[in-house]
Amino acid sequence: MSEKIYPFSLSPGLEAKLPKPSRAGFIFVDVKVNGKWEGILVFDERRLCVGIRCDRKTLEYPLDFSPGEIEDVRPASLWNRTLAFLPSWLVLAYPYACFFIIPAMLCMDVNHAPAGSILAIISGLIAQRIVVEHLRAFCQTNLLIIIAILGFQAAALQSLIKTLLK
């Protein structure tokens, strides 16, 4: 969309579902469009959408949908709020950093079992979710990242099982 769409308001039925504003006067919500939850839209104290939340800022970023297509609203999920708080370069670099982070956690597992294995598995799951949700452009590369992280997770799971069977 090239035209300016901000600020805009929701239909009266959806506006009634908006949660209370934060101390700063903003309302952060996930919106449901075509059966899928998207987020985070930012509403001001007048209950007008003033943009999206990304990189710790409210931006007037073009939406992939029109405001009339919004089916439902809910308070922003913890996952979306966390991603909106972090700098985007950090989020997008995390899956690549896992090639160093997860082996380090597996090395830590030697002395602090099973903590290293559990952290490696959780770190891999977070990286895979980021790849699936946010790095769709380079599909073949992303598939290789997911497979490599699965390999690390398999090693972590094997180490965890060995530790628990001892």
Side-chain angles (χ1 to χ4, degrees), residues 37-52:
W37 288 100
E38 307 278 349
I40 293 177
L41 291 184
V42 181
F43 289 81
D44 64 9
E45 64 278 348
R46 298 172 300 168
R47 297 172 114 37
L48 294 175
C49 182
V50 293
I52 67 163

Side-chain angles (χ1 to χ4, degrees), residues 87-105:
S88 59
W89 66 265
L90 182 64
V91 173
L92 299 178
Y94 180 75
Y96 301 100
C98 278
F99 290 105
F100 304 101
I101 294 170
I102 294 176
M105 289 178 183

